[in-house]
Amino acid sequence: MTACAHKSTIRSVTPRTFGCEECLEQGMEWFHLRLCRECGHVGCCDQSVGKHATAHFHQTGHPIIEGYDPPEGWGWCFIDETFVDLPDQTPQNGPIPRYY
């Protein structure tokens, strides 16, 4: 397994929305949510039609996401394509609508 060289980008963040930002704007459904650990963007996983978490990475270069809903406690680095040990797990701030 490759080690992640981007752990220094991990921040404690506040999720910006109660669901995938783009799916909420566009009226789309999602499967699981991923949280950007650099800026707090909430995007949907690659099993979702929108794949907005990956799109956010391509737009911003923010490399590390957290498995956010359901809370899964793992991190992923898009650049190194490896799981990352997170220093903490982001708490959910309120009810997240379920769309799957």
Side-chain angles (χ1 to χ4, degrees), residues 1-43:
M1 183 187 298
T2 305
C4 174
H6 304 92
K7 290 182 179 183
S8 64
T9 67
I10 297 173
R11 308 272 184 271
S12 292
V13 296
T14 300
R16 299 190 317 207
T17 56
F18 292 116
C20 175
E21 290 185 34
E22 292 82 3
C23 286
L24 288 168
E25 290 173 3
Q26 299 167 19
M28 297 173 65
E29 297 179 351
W30 63 78
F31 189 61
H32 291 297
L33 298 175
R34 306 297 181 233
L35 177 66
C36 176
R37 285 301 300 265
E38 192 164 338
C39 73
H41 173 269
V42 179

Side-chain angles (χ1 to χ4, degrees), residues 59-73:
Q59 290 171 344
T60 65
H62 297 168
I64 297 181
I65 56 171
E66 176 180 347
Y68 184 60
D69 184 60
E72 298 173 7

Side-chain angles (χ1 to χ4, degrees), residues 23 29-34 43-54 69-70 72 74 99-100:
C23 286
E29 297 179 351
W30 63 78
F31 189 61
H32 291 297
L33 298 175
R34 306 297 181 233
C44 57
C45 71
D46 284 355
Q47 292 173 299
S48 303
V49 173
K51 301 180 183 182
H52 292 118
T54 298
D69 184 60
E72 298 173 7
W74 53 262
Y99 284 108
Y100 54 90

